[in-house]
Amino acid sequence: MEPFLCAVVLLTATAVPATGAPPGSPHSARQGATVVQTDHGLLRGVSHGSYTTFDGVPYAAPPTGPLRWRAPVPAATWSGVRDATTAAQRCVQMPTPGGSAVLASEDCLYLNVTMPTPPTPVGHGRPVLVWMHGGAFLGGAGESAGALSICAHLTSPTAVGLFQRAVLSSGSCLMSFPRGALGPGTPAYEPFAAQREVQTAGAQAARQLGCAAGGGDEVLACLRGRGTDQLATAQLMQSFNRPAFGNALLPVAPDRALASGRFHRVPVIQGTNHDEMRMFVGLSLTAFPIRTENDYRARLVDAFGSAAPAVEAQYPAAEHPTPALAWAAVLTDRSLTCTTLAADRGIAAHAPGLPLYGYEFSDPDAPVLAGLPANQGFPYGAAHGFEMPYLFSSFPTERPLTDAQRALSDRMVDYWTNFAHTGNPNTPDAPHWPAQRSSSPLAQPVQSLAPGPGGIHPVDVGAAHHCSFWDRLPQ
């Protein structure tokens, strides 16, 4: 089987080593059910015609009791046929806004697996796609934080040989947010933290939970006795939602590893959406409106200090429909588009022959994801996560795709699928997607993905998003 990492905002999914039940066997005779053999035991899934699903498949032992906060250990084997027709509970999440109870369970290390029907014959492997969900390392149904997880895989020496290709959607090893990006006064965000910082935060959390007495074993025993209602709070979870470096898994920060060439040489697709940060700005406009140029200017000063006038000169409010959209454009370019292009340059410089492809999802009328607030005069455009319904038709949106958008969806699925098979997204009947080259450090060809005639074509994203300006500006 060929492992392949893809970043999306859905439930984590992968395939386990499995073989189909022989035709005519008792297992294959069950109406609507499919039983396969795995290296841990027999699994019963559900046939849906052209595909079969196996839900709630354990990939590690439950991290509960003495296994809480320890490295995962293998899942136990089972006898008989394990039912895999119902998804397991999600991992513990913070309460929903207005809610009081902690959701889900710590016993959550399970996969939902989809495989073609009929099953693959013994000895004939298929590509395996592993989807890592987003959600800021706090929650969620890998795009975004899932892409950062894949960055960690790319730069972890322990991940060698685990995968053969990678797709990072809306997140790279160089992504970061400036101060105030998520609201006035909010701190700057770096997605990875030094292990010593996490350990310091852990000691402080133990004191707050009344578990500071005794040595390390006593403190851990005390913390393992605390319920999830005491642990899954906004304060605590947001203190530990950054993967740590400075250990065996991540010896150095992923951005430094990438800059020094310490990453796995596998084909990579990474890209962003044209209006990434409109999603984040749109979520915060009710609490933190940006109505005037003075409001906009105050945000720039909060984020960039003495460099604010230079940023405003590049993004004058008068050149955007509203000051709020100007602010979203600044954050999109600074935090995602240009950092992703810089990551492309780093990969290409150290591995010039590596298959590397960039994209920008650019549908200005993409359906809005379900649950986002409507803001007068603030269209979401191609915001963060808005490409996901084009890759996964069940993703919840406020309206369905149009015919032209469905045609774009088909193209995107073909690109992603062919990349999984070959390491190259191109197919004979689709517009050509050029690879990135180290010989052209700034004007790298990025594939624009938009509906309609000519909507799929190479573009100079760096010029369109002021990336030469951001490359010069001290971070």
Side-chain angles (χ1 to χ4, degrees):
M1 292 186 172
E2 299 179 6
F4 165 68
L5 289 179
C6 181
V8 299
V9 192
L10 300 178
L11 292 174
T12 305
T14 187
V16 296
T19 58
S25 71
H27 297 314
S28 65
R30 284 199 172 95
Q31 183 67 32
T34 298
V35 175
V36 296
Q37 176 70 55
T38 77
D39 57 0
H40 277 52
L42 293 168
L43 277 176
R44 179 185 297 112
V46 178
S47 176
H48 304 272
S50 62
Y51 66 97
T52 302
T53 57
F54 299 87
D55 293 340
V57 181
Y59 65 87
T64 56
L67 292 182
R68 182 193 265 178
W69 302 315
R70 294 194 187 277
V73 301
T77 59
W78 58 84
S79 59
V81 180
R82 182 186 179 100
D83 183 74
T85 63
T86 305
Q89 292 195 69
R90 296 190 304 165
C91 290
V92 173
Q93 315 274 301
M94 288 192 299
T96 56
S100 57
V102 173
L103 304 176
S105 170
E106 287 183 89
D107 182 4
C108 65
L109 301 186
Y110 300 88
L111 304 172
N112 296 329
V113 179
T114 300
M115 59 179 278
T117 303
T120 305
V122 177
H124 293 75
R126 290 182 182 267
V128 177
L129 281 72
V130 182
W131 294 311
M132 296 186 175
H133 64 72
F137 299 112
L138 288 170
E143 185 267 353
S144 194
L148 297 173
S149 297
I150 295 173
C151 158
H153 280 75
L154 284 170
T155 57
S156 172
T158 64
V160 64
L162 294 183
F163 56 98
Q164 292 178 312
R165 340 198 194 285
V167 175
L168 296 85
S169 301
S170 300
S172 74
C173 291
L174 303 185
M175 191 195 84
S176 66
F177 289 177
R179 173 181 164 85
L182 303 180
T186 56
Y189 172 73
E190 296 285 344
F192 299 93
Q195 182 156 304
R196 62 181 180 278
E197 296 179 26
V198 179
Q199 291 171 332
T200 299
Q204 181 179 355
R207 290 192 294 271
Q208 293 172 347
L209 291 165
C211 292
D217 290 341
E218 289 84 358
V219 169
L220 278 175
C222 177
L223 289 171
R224 289 186 176 116
R226 296 291 188 256
T228 55
D229 59 331
Q230 296 175 280
L231 298 172
T233 65
Q235 178 186 3
L236 283 179
M237 294 189 74
Q238 291 175 11
S239 297
F240 299 98
N241 71 323
R242 296 192 296 161
F245 62 86
N247 49 56
L249 289 175
L250 288 175
V252 299
D255 58 346
R256 290 175 51 205
L258 189 77
S260 61
R262 286 177 282 180
F263 56 87
H264 302 301
R265 270 46 174 179
V266 297
V268 170
I269 289 177
Q270 57 181 2
T272 56
N273 295 354
H274 187 274
D275 308 300
E276 288 278 5
M277 293 297 289
R278 289 192 191 182
M279 191 271 278
F280 297 94
V281 174
L283 283 170
S284 67
L285 280 179
T286 298
F288 305 109
I290 307 173
R291 299 189 178 96
T292 67
E293 289 195 22
N294 284 337
D295 293 339
Y296 171 53
R297 193 167 292 119
R299 293 293 189 95
L300 294 176
V301 171
D302 186 24
F304 304 109
S306 61
V311 178
E312 186 175 8
Q314 289 286 323
Y315 299 82
E319 293 186 3
H320 297 265
T322 68
L325 289 171
W327 174 237
V330 168
L331 294 179
T332 292
D333 297 358
R334 152 61 179 83
S335 297
L336 282 150
T337 305
C338 298
T339 53
T340 298
L341 287 181
D344 287 340
R345 294 198 300 272
I347 292 172
H350 289 285
L354 192 73
L356 173 64
Y357 300 87
Y359 74 85
E360 181 178 63
F361 175 75
S362 304
D363 185 357
D365 299 312
V368 175
L369 300 183
L372 289 178
N375 297 292
Q376 184 69 28
F378 190 87
Y380 282 101
H384 192 67
F386 278 36
E387 84 284 11
M388 287 297 102
Y390 293 70
L391 296 169
F392 300 93
S393 59
S394 60
F395 206 83
T397 58
E398 292 184 353
R399 62 168 176 80
L401 299 180
T402 65
D403 289 345
Q405 289 169 336
R406 280 195 294 270
L408 172 62
S409 169
D410 291 342
R411 284 291 186 217
M412 291 172 62
V413 169
D414 286 345
Y415 279 140
W416 264 243
T417 301
N418 207 55
F419 181 76
H421 277 285
T422 69
N424 184 332
N426 287 291
T427 60
D429 60 342
H432 179 67
W433 186 340
Q436 305 266 9
R437 302 297 180 198
S438 59
S439 58
S440 180
L442 291 178
Q444 291 285 3
V446 167
Q447 192 83 327
S448 176
L449 300 172
I456 301 177
H457 62 279
V459 294
D460 182 356
V461 168
H465 291 266
H466 305 269
C467 289
S468 60
F469 167 77
W470 293 110
D471 290 341
R472 296 191 305 270
L473 195 73
Q475 300 299 313

